[in-house]
């Protein structure tokens, strides 16, 4: 007899797209800044390095039977000391995505 898993299991954690990497005068759209949920220090971000990130959005026209589309990326390194990370996406995220949530996949595993 097999016991059912009563706890929900998720293959991703949430993050928030804050904006792009920038200096005082220049903005670099090829690098996105993401605040990870329940991550508050630079040391805690090392677990997430190399993990894949998905930005899901709804498009007005359906492709392959669905209106939902995805832009994939990867976490590259920490940014600052407060749990923010840098990520590079295959296609740059649109500015309208600032403040929206992204999915941080818990794969590939490095442990």
């Amino acid at each position: 007899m097999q016991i059912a898993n009563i706890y929900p299991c998720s293959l991703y954690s949430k993050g928030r797209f804050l904006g792009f990497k920038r200096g005082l005068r220049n903005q670099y759209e090829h690098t996105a800044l993401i605040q990870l949920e329940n991550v508050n220090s630079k040391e805690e971000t090392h677990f997430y390095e190399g993990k894949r990130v998905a930005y899901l959005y709804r498009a007005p026209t359906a492709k392959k039977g669905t209106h939902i589309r995805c832009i994939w990326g990867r976490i590259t390194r920490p940014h600052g000391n407060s749990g923010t990370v840098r990520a590079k996406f295959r296609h740059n995220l649109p500015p309208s995505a600032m403040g929206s949530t992204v999915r941080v996949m818990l794969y590939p595993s490095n442990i």
Side-chain angles (χ1 to χ4, degrees):
M1 183 174 167
Q2 187 176 4
I3 300 173
N5 187 3
I6 59 173
Y7 299 106
C9 180
S10 179
L11 291 177
Y12 66 89
S13 63
K14 289 184 179 180
R16 188 159 302 278
F17 171 49
L18 301 178
F20 300 110
K21 179 183 139 185
R22 55 169 298 161
L24 184 62
R25 293 171 183 86
N26 296 327
Q27 177 173 281
Y28 302 97
E29 291 90 3
H30 55 75
T31 304
L33 301 179
I34 297 174
Q35 177 66 53
L36 301 172
E37 190 176 64
N38 300 323
V39 177
N40 298 314
S41 70
K42 189 178 199 175
E43 290 73 29
E44 294 173 3
T45 62
H46 293 301
F47 170 78
Y48 293 94
E49 287 180 20
K51 300 284 193 263
R52 301 194 60 195
V53 185
Y55 167 65
L56 298 171
Y57 64 99
R58 295 182 191 277
T61 57
K63 298 270 183 161
K64 298 182 181 176
T66 181
H67 288 271
I68 298 174
R69 301 201 188 142
C70 181
I71 300 176
W72 285 97
R74 191 175 297 271
I75 294 177
T76 57
R77 55 171 293 181
H79 179 84
N81 295 312
S82 62
T84 305
V85 293
R86 297 182 193 177
K88 291 202 171 203
F89 286 81
R90 288 185 184 161
H91 300 283
N92 295 344
L93 293 181
S96 60
M98 286 184 191
S100 62
T101 59
V102 295
R103 293 182 178 185
V104 180
M105 305 299 172
L106 298 180
Y107 57 83
S109 176
N110 54 14
I111 57 171

